[in-house]
Amino acid sequence: MRVDDAPFDAEPTVTASLSRRETEVMELIATGRSNSQIAQHLFLSEKTVKNHVNRIYAKLGADSRMTAIGLWRSRTGEK
């Protein structure tokens, strides 16, 4: 297991299925950042961010960025 794949411990009921890195990426997606902006912010390649986004969609059961944001906000209690 890589460090990025370790579960995020802050709120296990909310983020139990997302890795720490996926949680970081999802939080940035929810603030409206593009994949390119997320890549720059986290010092990753855009392709790596796209891979994280695809895994996030699969884990959340989302088919789009807006659906993922809605599901994320409902799970975290954000509006």
Side-chain angles (χ1 to χ4, degrees):
M1 179 187 308
R2 295 181 344 201
V3 173
D4 288 346
D5 292 334
F8 185 72
D9 295 326
E11 296 183 49
T13 57
V14 173
T15 60
S17 65
L18 299 183
S19 71
R20 177 170 286 162
R21 180 62 88 185
E22 290 166 348
T23 300
E24 290 174 324
V25 170
M26 189 60 232
E27 288 174 352
L28 293 168
I29 289 170
T31 64
R33 294 194 183 177
S34 68
N35 287 355
S36 177
Q37 291 169 326
I38 294 169
Q40 289 177 347
H41 182 79
L42 297 177
F43 302 101
L44 299 171
S45 73
E46 196 167 341
K47 174 67 174 152
T48 299
V49 172
K50 287 179 185 180
N51 288 336
H52 286 307
V53 170
N54 286 330
R55 283 195 301 273
I56 290 166
Y57 285 4
K59 289 179 179 182
L60 293 178
D63 59 357
S64 70
R65 206 169 191 90
M66 292 308 296
T67 303
I69 291 169
L71 291 167
W72 180 253
R73 288 183 175 162
S74 70
R75 291 181 184 200
T76 60
E78 291 182 34
K79 293 188 179 202

